Amino acid sequence: MADEPQKKPHLSALVGHTNGLTKSASLAATATRSAGGGGGGATASSKKLVIKNFRERPKLPDNYTQDTWQKLHEAVGAIQSSISIKYNLEELYQAVENLCSYKVSATLYKQLRQVCEDHVKAQILQFREYPFVMHRDDSLDSLLFLKKINKCWQDHCRQMIMIRSIFLFLDRTYVLQNSVLPSIWDMGLELFRNHIISDKQVQTKTIDGILLLIERERNGEAVDRSLLRSLLSMLSDLQQVYKESFEQRFLEETNCLYAAEGQRLMQEREVPEYLHHVNKRLEEEGDRVITYLDHSTQKPLIACVEKQLLGEHLSAILQKGLDSLLDENRISDLTQTYQLFSRVKGGQQILLQHWSEYIKNFGTTIVVNPEKDKDMVQELLDFKDKVDHIIEVCFQKNEKFINLMKESFETFINKRPNKPAELIAKYVDSKLRAGNKEATDEELERILDKIMIIFRFIHGKDVFEAFYKKDLAKRLLVGKSASVDAEKSMLSKLKHECGAAFTSKLEGMFKDMELSKDVMVQFKQYMQNQSDPGNIDLTVNILTMGYWPTYTPMEVHLNSEMIKLQEVFKTFYLGKHSGRKLQWQTTLGHAVLKAEFKEGKKEFQVSLFQTLVLLMFNEGDEFSFEEIKMATGVEDSELRRTLQSLACGKARVLIKNPKGKDVEDGDKFIFNGDFKHKLFRIKINQIQMKETVEEQVSTTERVFQDRQYQIDAAIVRIMKMRKTLGHNLLVSELYNQLKFPVKPGDLKKRIESLIDRDYMERDKDNPNQYHYVA
């Protein structure tokens, strides 16, 4: 072989021996050696290896293409007939590769397609033997048909996988390079779709059969789910057949089924039962998607179930059953209601509205009924706990439900002005009073926190303040506070909620009590220096008039020792604080009396009025009502209640003649020398601690009087700043500034009053315009 000039090596594809066809390469190598000089040694020069193609491509043997295709045709036929293939699969694969290498790919693809098409066309004949008018009760025939179409599909898929494995080289070269040609697998799908599934009768019966199976499953029957999965997978693989032919009809039937079911079950079932059914249906349909439907069907299918079973009945469900679920505190059912309603557009909004209505209606029944006043606050606290629990557990702490609950509480609690505020103050009093052993310090703190939440909803907080102040005064003056820490804690909560101005008087009361202790230490030292200190141990609380509730002074006849002690204290106190005036409040006085009976000595904790009555019996054993009244100077109704406590209660120190619960004119009272009691120190209920109707009315009236002063002050303040203002703007400003509810009519009266007193005047041309009078 002659030497060639040096070229860049070029390699052609090398293929192994097949069917006597050999493709080889000619190799030429030249080696040159040059003799080295001098030392006689030889050095090898570099070697060159040149690899070259054949000058001409070897030709295919005659009939090679035809013979090879015949083998391939036979193999495809064997696959389609489910018989064994004569040839080695590797050999067949190599044959396809050889044909592709010699540019017969296009012919090979057409031939293969034709063979597959002829086979698929022949398959349609087996379905002609089935009747195509199908009735709902013809389910057996339908099932046999579905199994046959499924077998046909499974066989087709298996065949196309085998065929593709043989023609893989064709698929990966020629077909891949021609974007217009479907792959061998896609070609198989196309043929099956065009010649079998696109046949109108076959398609109708297939989809009818699938829908019938799904309907039977929805009715609770067991069906062949693997068959459904296979058939629906077939429709899905055949591209638009699933969407256009199956899904549309499936969703229409689903819609009709659940529309009818929703209407029927809403009539037949109670709400919890109905919601449980809806949940079950949603789970079933979700499982259906996972098991055999295409994933793309999930969204429209679930939306359809939600619309027909929930969306169409939102109001009806809530009207029929929400109240009873809430009344009975059905936590799991309420949780399910919230979860289901949250799935539907507008569901949460309508649940919110009904939730709000329920709170308002239920709360109103607690607040507006005077017969429930005794338990109102406890019921409000229990109700608040209940709705809080429902929001937390059932409504996932949804902010909208929390806010609407607060608005609803505020609405119903103020439907009855003032009374809830008064009763909340009394409830706090009952919890802070000594003798309240039902709660530990931590529990009491929690109760007070809950009370503050209810307190926030009240508009007339000044009513609460008035009653709270009155009760606090009693607790402080009679030493009935359960805990100073609890009192201070409540005061701190009120200050945080309403500001320092709200609690300034209450804090002043505590300050007075502390100063009084210091004064009494000094007074006791002062008494020790007196020549005649007396037998009575006097304790005085000095109250600043502006801080404490207004008490009506009552003139009573004290005994000489008491009067003497009062004068001593007055001299002592005014000597230290000149310019002050002392006014004795006999209604707030109390004492400890020592008494002797046949059984032995006892001590009585009594009010000042009870003290004056009992001290009379040092002078005699029997007195009439009129005599006691004359001697003590206690006013009529107060005296009757005082005598009732001493002669008709549990500790009967006096005997009333004639017997009876009420004290009448002419009744006689006799000292009970045979009095017995297991305790040494006995507390006889202090009448002044019991709130009378008159006290309630006077407290409320004082609040209203204070409100008038506040309205007047606000009007003058606004007019002084604005100088001239229209009626509507003035009223609007007042509503912004006043912290209590007020009616437009009341504001109008106060404006008229200020005009009469020359604080402001009407405009001469416009009666709705006011001018400030400087």
Side-chain angles (χ1 to χ4, degrees):
M1 190 178 287
D3 288 346
E4 292 277 341
Q6 187 175 349
K7 291 181 181 176
K8 190 175 182 181
H10 181 75
L11 290 171
S12 67
L14 298 176
V15 188
H17 179 78
T18 305
N19 294 329
L21 174 67
T22 307
K23 191 190 247 185
S24 60
S26 171
L27 301 179
T30 60
T32 56
R33 292 175 183 271
S34 58
T43 305
S45 68
S46 62
K47 295 180 179 180
K48 289 182 183 177
L49 181 67
V50 180
I51 300 170
K52 297 196 256 176
N53 283 332
F54 283 115
R55 306 233 173 186
E56 288 182 16
R57 191 180 181 84
K59 289 182 179 180
L60 285 173
D62 294 341
N63 299 326
Y64 178 78
T65 306
Q66 190 177 347
D67 293 346
T68 306
W69 165 245
Q70 191 57 42
K71 287 182 183 179
L72 292 169
H73 190 187
E74 280 179 41
V76 170
I79 289 168
Q80 290 171 338
S81 305
S82 298
I83 58 175
S84 59
I85 304 167
K86 291 182 191 175
Y87 310 102
N88 182 294
L89 287 176
E90 190 179 343
E91 186 182 328
L92 294 171
Y93 178 91
Q94 193 65 62
V96 171
E97 187 175 339
N98 290 338
L99 289 177
C100 290
S101 300
Y102 280 88
K103 311 295 184 189
V104 289
S105 301
T107 308
L108 187 60
Y109 183 81
K110 284 177 188 171
Q111 287 172 320
L112 176 62
R113 182 187 171 91
Q114 190 60 51
V115 170
C116 292
E117 188 167 13
D118 292 342
H119 177 73
V120 172
K121 277 181 179 177
Q123 298 306 304
I124 194 71
L125 299 173
Q126 65 182 306
F127 301 111
R128 299 294 187 201
E129 62 200 54
Y130 280 88
F132 279 92
V133 179
M134 190 175 72
H135 302 287
R136 285 295 180 194
D137 58 350
D138 197 9
S139 55
L140 181 62
D141 172 61
S142 170
L143 186 61
L144 291 172
F145 178 85
L146 291 180
K147 284 182 176 176
K148 199 161 186 69
I149 198 87
N150 184 52
K151 184 176 185 307
C152 178
W153 165 250
Q154 296 293 347
D155 289 347
H156 175 75
C157 290
R158 190 175 62 255
Q159 290 160 17
M160 290 310 298
I161 289 165
M162 286 283 289
I163 290 166
R164 182 176 177 271
S165 68
I166 291 170
F167 289 84
L168 190 63
F169 194 86
L170 175 71
D171 209 26
R172 287 183 174 172
T173 54
Y174 172 72
V175 177
L176 199 63
Q177 290 159 10
N178 286 268
S179 56
V180 293
L181 291 179
S183 69
I184 292 171
W185 175 256
D186 289 342
M187 175 193 76
L189 293 179
E190 186 184 299
L191 294 173
F192 196 88
R193 181 173 66 249
N194 293 344
H195 298 295
I196 295 180
I197 289 302
S198 289
D199 182 282
K200 192 174 180 186
Q201 291 178 323
V202 171
Q203 188 178 111
T204 303
K205 187 153 188 178
T206 302
I207 289 169
D208 282 350
I210 291 170
L211 292 172
L212 182 60
L213 277 185
I214 293 172
E215 184 186 329
R216 284 169 56 193
E217 188 182 47
R218 281 172 169 164
N219 291 334
E221 295 179 46
V223 297
D224 187 344
R225 289 184 134 204
S226 61
L227 176 62
L228 278 171
R229 180 167 57 249
S230 179
L231 289 169
L232 288 165
S233 174
M234 170 188 79
L235 296 182
S236 192
D237 288 344
L238 300 175
Q239 293 171 354
Q240 294 306 311
V241 180
Y242 182 91
K243 280 278 174 202
E244 291 172 2
S245 303
F246 167 75
E247 189 180 74
Q248 193 176 350
R249 277 194 59 197
F250 170 68
L251 292 174
E252 283 169 8
E253 290 207 5
T254 301
N255 211 48
C256 293
L257 169 76
Y258 287 125
E261 185 172 277
Q263 294 288 346
R264 188 181 81 254
L265 294 183
M266 271 302 294
Q267 303 295 323
E268 294 174 4
R269 298 193 179 182
E270 292 302 313
V271 166
E273 222 181 323
Y274 180 80
L275 292 175
H276 181 71
H277 176 79
V278 174
N279 210 45
K280 183 164 159 277
R281 281 302 202 194
L282 285 165
E283 284 174 2
E284 285 172 5
E285 297 303 337
D287 179 56
R288 217 156 264 136
V289 173
I290 293 166
T291 310
Y292 53 74
L293 292 169
D294 191 83
H295 184 70
S296 64
T297 309
Q298 181 175 17
K299 200 171 179 181
L301 172 61
I302 299 301
C304 173
V305 181
E306 288 171 350
K307 181 178 184 292
Q308 295 302 340
L309 293 184
L310 282 172
E312 298 291 328
H313 308 287
L314 292 174
S315 285
I317 290 169
L318 297 176
Q319 284 165 5
K320 186 176 179 182
L322 182 65
D323 285 8
S324 61
L325 293 184
L326 290 165
D327 285 342
E328 295 164 27
N329 211 26
R330 302 270 285 272
I331 296 297
S332 60
D333 292 329
L334 286 166
T335 304
Q336 190 170 67
T337 304
Y338 176 79
Q339 288 169 350
L340 289 173
F341 273 61
S342 297
R343 298 177 71 138
V344 186
K345 188 180 179 184
Q348 255 192 32
Q349 192 54 43
I350 200 163
L351 181 57
L352 270 169
Q353 290 165 8
H354 282 263
W355 163 248
S356 173
E357 286 306 309
Y358 173 81
I359 293 173
K360 287 176 192 170
N361 294 337
F362 191 92
T364 302
T365 61
I366 297 173
V367 169
V368 299
N369 186 356
E371 291 174 12
K372 287 192 170 184
D373 283 359
K374 185 182 175 187
D375 301 316
M376 182 201 288
V377 179
Q378 189 57 55
E379 285 191 28
L380 285 174
L381 290 172
D382 293 343
F383 184 46
K384 180 68 171 52
D385 281 346
K386 176 180 167 177
V387 296
D388 283 347
H389 183 66
I390 289 169
I391 287 172
E392 185 173 350
V393 177
C394 310
F395 299 162
Q396 298 175 2
K397 300 180 185 174
N398 187 316
E399 205 68 35
K400 290 178 182 174
F401 283 83
I402 294 169
N403 292 335
L404 199 59
M405 177 270 290
K406 290 176 181 174
E407 286 175 28
S408 304
F409 259 81
E410 191 173 343
T411 301
F412 79 70
I413 211 166
N414 291 295
K415 278 189 176 179
R416 186 179 176 195
N418 308 319
K419 197 65 181 177
E422 175 193 329
L423 294 174
I424 289 170
K426 289 179 182 172
Y427 185 86
V428 175
D429 175 56
S430 73
K431 296 299 174 188
L432 293 177
R433 242 190 276 142
N436 175 31
K437 302 296 183 190
E438 63 194 60
T440 62
D441 290 346
E442 292 80 12
E443 286 168 341
L444 181 57
E445 190 68 18
R446 279 200 297 274
I447 290 167
L448 295 180
D449 283 334
K450 287 180 180 180
I451 282 286
M452 288 308 299
I453 293 168
I454 301 290
F455 171 73
R456 280 187 198 119
F457 301 132
I458 292 166
H459 289 162
K461 292 184 170 62
D462 50 352
V463 175
F464 171 89
E465 183 196 12
F467 281 95
Y468 184 82
K469 184 161 82 170
K470 181 173 65 65
D471 293 331
L472 174 62
K474 287 181 181 177
R475 293 198 299 275
L476 294 177
L477 295 174
V478 191
K480 289 295 291 176
S481 248
S483 153
V484 175
D485 289 341
E487 292 283 5
K488 294 280 177 75
S489 171
M490 185 63 192
L491 207 58
S492 170
K493 293 179 201 302
L494 288 170
K495 190 172 187 176
H496 181 263
E497 187 64 34
C498 305
F502 186 84
T503 54
S504 61
K505 290 181 181 178
L506 302 177
E507 287 172 331
M509 291 164 72
F510 279 96
K511 197 177 287 182
D512 279 352
M513 294 305 291
E514 286 164 13
L515 289 172
S516 295
K517 286 178 186 173
D518 295 339
V519 170
M520 290 321 298
V521 170
Q522 294 167 15
F523 179 63
K524 282 186 171 37
Q525 290 171 349
Y526 176 81
M527 287 299 289
Q528 284 171 3
N529 299 327
Q530 296 293 309
S531 56
D532 181 16
N535 299 323
I536 303 174
D537 187 8
L538 177 69
T539 302
V540 180
N541 287 312
I542 314 294
L543 314 180
T544 306
M545 196 170 278
Y547 293 161
W548 296 76
T550 307
Y551 300 108
T552 307
M554 190 184 292
E555 292 295 329
V556 293
H557 304 152
L558 301 175
N559 65 23
S560 56
E561 275 194 82
M562 289 181 180
I563 293 168
K564 182 184 170 186
L565 261 176
Q566 276 188 345
E567 289 303 318
V568 170
F569 181 81
K570 190 174 178 181
T571 305
F572 157 76
Y573 186 77
L574 296 179
K576 281 181 162 296
H577 305 281
S578 59
R580 293 191 182 180
K581 185 182 176 184
L582 288 178
Q583 184 182 65
W584 296 92
Q585 294 290 353
T586 53
T587 53
L588 302 175
H590 56 97
V592 175
L593 292 180
K594 294 179 179 177
E596 286 191 27
F597 298 94
K598 290 177 183 176
E599 189 186 57
K601 292 182 179 180
K602 298 285 182 190
E603 285 187 359
F604 294 114
Q605 277 184 281
V606 284
S607 70
L608 181 61
F609 298 153
Q610 291 169 323
T611 303
L612 295 178
V613 171
L614 290 174
L615 287 175
M616 282 183 68
F617 288 88
N618 284 334
E619 311 299 327
D621 288 337
E622 182 179 326
F623 296 97
S624 68
F625 174 75
E626 287 74 18
E627 286 171 335
I628 295 171
K629 185 176 178 182
M630 184 72 69
T632 60
V634 178
E635 65 93 15
D636 193 277
S637 60
E638 193 67 55
L639 181 60
R640 287 179 196 274
R641 284 198 298 274
T642 302
L643 287 168
Q644 217 172 4
S645 70
L646 295 170
C648 307
K650 289 181 180 176
R652 299 189 179 185
V653 187
L654 304 179
I655 297 168
K656 187 171 88 73
N657 188 16
K659 291 181 179 179
K661 285 186 179 179
D662 297 321
V663 175
E664 306 291 349
D665 293 347
D667 282 357
K668 305 276 187 190
F669 293 89
I670 304 151
F671 181 71
N672 182 10
D674 297 325
F675 176 81
K676 290 182 180 179
H677 202 283
K678 60 182 178 181
L679 299 175
F680 172 69
R681 177 171 281 199
I682 303 142
K683 176 184 168 293
I684 300 176
N685 286 336
Q686 298 173 23
I687 293 298
Q688 83 272 18
M689 287 296 287
K690 290 187 176 178
E691 185 178 62
T692 63
V693 176
E694 292 84 356
E695 267 188 298
Q696 282 188 27
V697 172
S698 67
T699 305
T700 309
E701 281 176 355
R702 278 199 302 276
V703 171
F704 291 153
Q705 191 62 51
D706 286 346
R707 284 183 179 181
Q708 291 191 342
Y709 297 146
Q710 288 181 55
I711 294 169
D712 288 356
I715 294 170
V716 171
R717 195 163 53 244
I718 293 165
M719 290 306 300
K720 190 173 184 180
M721 186 172 66
R722 297 293 188 89
K723 305 303 181 193
T724 298
L725 205 59
H727 178 80
N728 290 341
L729 282 172
L730 175 58
V731 169
S732 176
E733 283 276 355
L734 286 168
Y735 277 127
N736 288 336
Q737 289 197 16
L738 297 171
K739 293 178 180 176
F740 49 83
V742 61
K743 295 173 185 173
D746 294 337
L747 292 179
K748 198 170 182 183
K749 282 179 190 172
R750 299 319 305 159
I751 291 168
E752 294 293 345
S753 168
L754 288 170
I755 290 171
D756 292 342
R757 288 181 280 159
D758 294 330
Y759 282 93
M760 52 198 281
E761 63 184 11
R762 288 185 193 280
D763 189 272
K764 289 171 185 174
D765 300 322
N766 183 0
N768 280 329
Q769 191 93 352
Y770 305 120
H771 300 289
Y772 176 67
V773 178

